[in-house]
Amino acid sequence: MLRKLLADYAPEHIAVVFDARGKTFRDDMFEHYKANRPPMPDDLAAQIEPLHALVAALGFPILQVPGVEADDVIGTLTRQAVEKGFDVVIITSDKDLLQLVSDHVSVLSPGRDGKPEKRYDRDGVIEKMGVPPERVVDLLALVGDAVDNIPGVPGIGDKGARDLIQQFG
């Protein structure tokens, strides 16, 4: 996938960000954070170190910050790059990062399971999430996130959250 992305997009700069091992500041803020998430399957866990070695062998910098999730590192790097005048493409299938989309930031969701890749700009985020990028965090706060065990507002689903955001901002 990395080689295909290099060939297709020829990025000027690239970094690969992984979650560091251990707890993050979110675990300290909310004791039930990701509490329902099953442990990583052994066959996937066995791939992590070889993947790190492969990424390093390809010459890409690997970033991991203890106590901070990869999403937070990506968000910080994105903000810094935009402030320096760069356009940024974030490659992830994580919907949380759609909140970073702007005139200078897009998200490329890699294709998998036979589905093509999808690049999200502002209109793409609105089409997928029903709200603009700057309201994605509000949508997720209202609805909650079962994957991370974050409760939302009781009785508020996707449609209700979108309706509230459209009405009240």
Side-chain angles (χ1 to χ4, degrees), residues 136-153:
V136 167
V137 69
D138 299 323
L139 177 73
L140 297 175
L142 288 168
V143 174
D145 188 342
V147 172
D148 288 343
N149 198 39
I150 303 294
V153 176

mmCIF file of all heavy atoms in Angstrom, residues 136-153:
data_model
loop_
_atom_site.group_PDB
_atom_site.id
_atom_site.type_symbol
_atom_site.label_atom_id
_atom_site.label_comp_id
_atom_site.label_asym_id
_atom_site.label_seq_id
_atom_site.Cartn_x
_atom_site.Cartn_y
_atom_site.Cartn_z
ATOM 1 N N VAL A 136 -17.812 17.738 12.898
ATOM 2 C CA VAL A 136 -17.670 16.289 13.103
ATOM 3 C C VAL A 136 -17.506 15.980 14.585
ATOM 4 O O VAL A 136 -18.117 15.049 15.115
ATOM 5 C CB VAL A 136 -16.505 15.710 12.273
ATOM 6 C CG1 VAL A 136 -16.153 14.294 12.714
ATOM 7 C CG2 VAL A 136 -16.855 15.735 10.788
ATOM 8 N N VAL A 137 -16.697 16.767 15.287
ATOM 9 C CA VAL A 137 -16.477 16.520 16.710
ATOM 10 C C VAL A 137 -17.787 16.667 17.486
ATOM 11 O O VAL A 137 -18.046 15.913 18.436
ATOM 12 C CB VAL A 137 -15.354 17.420 17.271
ATOM 13 C CG1 VAL A 137 -15.760 18.880 17.311
ATOM 14 C CG2 VAL A 137 -14.914 16.941 18.631
ATOM 15 N N ASP A 138 -18.640 17.609 17.087
ATOM 16 C CA ASP A 138 -19.936 17.774 17.749
ATOM 17 C C ASP A 138 -20.830 16.562 17.490
ATOM 18 O O ASP A 138 -21.509 16.064 18.401
ATOM 19 C CB ASP A 138 -20.636 19.045 17.254
ATOM 20 C CG ASP A 138 -19.833 20.299 17.542
ATOM 21 O OD1 ASP A 138 -19.192 20.362 18.612
ATOM 22 O OD2 ASP A 138 -19.842 21.205 16.694
ATOM 23 N N LEU A 139 -20.844 16.110 16.250
ATOM 24 C CA LEU A 139 -21.627 14.927 15.891
ATOM 25 C C LEU A 139 -21.187 13.727 16.726
ATOM 26 O O LEU A 139 -22.019 13.029 17.319
ATOM 27 C CB LEU A 139 -21.471 14.623 14.397
ATOM 28 C CG LEU A 139 -22.183 13.369 13.893
ATOM 29 C CD1 LEU A 139 -23.687 13.598 13.832
ATOM 30 C CD2 LEU A 139 -21.661 12.979 12.522
ATOM 31 N N LEU A 140 -19.890 13.500 16.799
ATOM 32 C CA LEU A 140 -19.374 12.352 17.542
ATOM 33 C C LEU A 140 -19.648 12.487 19.042
ATOM 34 O O LEU A 140 -19.911 11.491 19.724
ATOM 35 C CB LEU A 140 -17.881 12.177 17.276
ATOM 36 C CG LEU A 140 -17.510 11.859 15.824
ATOM 37 C CD1 LEU A 140 -16.000 11.832 15.647
ATOM 38 C CD2 LEU A 140 -18.137 10.562 15.366
ATOM 39 N N ALA A 141 -19.615 13.708 19.558
ATOM 40 C CA ALA A 141 -19.919 13.916 20.977
ATOM 41 C C ALA A 141 -21.383 13.606 21.279
ATOM 42 O O ALA A 141 -21.698 13.009 22.311
ATOM 43 C CB ALA A 141 -19.587 15.356 21.374
ATOM 44 N N LEU A 142 -22.275 13.999 20.385
ATOM 45 C CA LEU A 142 -23.703 13.734 20.599
ATOM 46 C C LEU A 142 -24.042 12.256 20.457
ATOM 47 O O LEU A 142 -24.810 11.704 21.240
ATOM 48 C CB LEU A 142 -24.544 14.560 19.615
ATOM 49 C CG LEU A 142 -24.610 16.056 19.876
ATOM 50 C CD1 LEU A 142 -25.216 16.771 18.674
ATOM 51 C CD2 LEU A 142 -25.402 16.352 21.136
ATOM 52 N N VAL A 143 -23.476 11.617 19.439
ATOM 53 C CA VAL A 143 -23.802 10.225 19.129
ATOM 54 C C VAL A 143 -23.017 9.256 20.015
ATOM 55 O O VAL A 143 -23.499 8.172 20.341
ATOM 56 C CB VAL A 143 -23.527 9.940 17.641
ATOM 57 C CG1 VAL A 143 -23.710 8.475 17.314
ATOM 58 C CG2 VAL A 143 -24.440 10.780 16.777
ATOM 59 N N GLY A 144 -21.803 9.637 20.404
ATOM 60 C CA GLY A 144 -20.933 8.728 21.126
ATOM 61 C C GLY A 144 -20.147 7.878 20.154
ATOM 62 O O GLY A 144 -20.278 8.000 18.943
ATOM 63 N N ASP A 145 -19.307 7.020 20.688
ATOM 64 C CA ASP A 145 -18.471 6.165 19.869
ATOM 65 C C ASP A 145 -18.347 4.808 20.550
ATOM 66 O O ASP A 145 -17.599 4.655 21.527
ATOM 67 C CB ASP A 145 -17.096 6.810 19.687
ATOM 68 C CG ASP A 145 -16.212 6.081 18.698
ATOM 69 O OD1 ASP A 145 -16.493 4.900 18.395
ATOM 70 O OD2 ASP A 145 -15.234 6.676 18.233
ATOM 71 N N ALA A 146 -19.103 3.845 20.054
ATOM 72 C CA ALA A 146 -19.106 2.510 20.659
ATOM 73 C C ALA A 146 -17.724 1.867 20.600
ATOM 74 O O ALA A 146 -17.332 1.147 21.529
ATOM 75 C CB ALA A 146 -20.136 1.627 19.961
ATOM 76 N N VAL A 147 -16.965 2.135 19.534
ATOM 77 C CA VAL A 147 -15.640 1.520 19.397
ATOM 78 C C VAL A 147 -14.722 1.955 20.542
ATOM 79 O O VAL A 147 -13.958 1.160 21.083
ATOM 80 C CB VAL A 147 -15.015 1.880 18.019
ATOM 81 C CG1 VAL A 147 -13.580 1.431 17.938
ATOM 82 C CG2 VAL A 147 -15.841 1.262 16.909
ATOM 83 N N ASP A 148 -14.799 3.232 20.924
ATOM 84 C CA ASP A 148 -13.953 3.745 22.003
ATOM 85 C C ASP A 148 -14.666 3.754 23.351
ATOM 86 O O ASP A 148 -14.126 4.239 24.342
ATOM 87 C CB ASP A 148 -13.473 5.156 21.669
ATOM 88 C CG ASP A 148 -12.433 5.179 20.559
ATOM 89 O OD1 ASP A 148 -11.857 4.113 20.271
ATOM 90 O OD2 ASP A 148 -12.210 6.252 19.981
ATOM 91 N N ASN A 149 -15.911 3.241 23.381
ATOM 92 C CA ASN A 149 -16.713 3.184 24.602
ATOM 93 C C ASN A 149 -17.004 4.579 25.156
ATOM 94 O O ASN A 149 -17.018 4.796 26.360
ATOM 95 C CB ASN A 149 -16.027 2.309 25.669
ATOM 96 C CG ASN A 149 -16.994 1.885 26.748
ATOM 97 O OD1 ASN A 149 -18.145 1.573 26.471
ATOM 98 N ND2 ASN A 149 -16.534 1.881 27.988
ATOM 99 N N ILE A 150 -17.241 5.521 24.256
ATOM 100 C CA ILE A 150 -17.587 6.885 24.655
ATOM 101 C C ILE A 150 -19.106 7.023 24.564
ATOM 102 O O ILE A 150 -19.673 6.868 23.480
ATOM 103 C CB ILE A 150 -16.920 7.928 23.726
ATOM 104 C CG1 ILE A 150 -15.409 7.752 23.708
ATOM 105 C CG2 ILE A 150 -17.319 9.342 24.115
ATOM 106 C CD1 ILE A 150 -14.709 8.043 25.003
ATOM 107 N N PRO A 151 -19.749 7.302 25.696
ATOM 108 C CA PRO A 151 -21.206 7.445 25.643
ATOM 109 C C PRO A 151 -21.615 8.742 24.950
ATOM 110 O O PRO A 151 -20.913 9.745 25.036
ATOM 111 C CB PRO A 151 -21.612 7.467 27.118
ATOM 112 C CG PRO A 151 -20.401 7.974 27.843
ATOM 113 C CD PRO A 151 -19.214 7.511 27.040
ATOM 114 N N GLY A 152 -22.716 8.689 24.254
ATOM 115 C CA GLY A 152 -23.283 9.887 23.655
ATOM 116 C C GLY A 152 -24.435 10.378 24.517
ATOM 117 O O GLY A 152 -24.605 9.965 25.659
ATOM 118 N N VAL A 153 -25.234 11.248 23.954
ATOM 119 C CA VAL A 153 -26.418 11.742 24.645
ATOM 120 C C VAL A 153 -27.508 10.679 24.498
ATOM 121 O O VAL A 153 -27.817 10.272 23.378
ATOM 122 C CB VAL A 153 -26.877 13.093 24.045
ATOM 123 C CG1 VAL A 153 -28.170 13.558 24.691
ATOM 124 C CG2 VAL A 153 -25.772 14.146 24.191
#
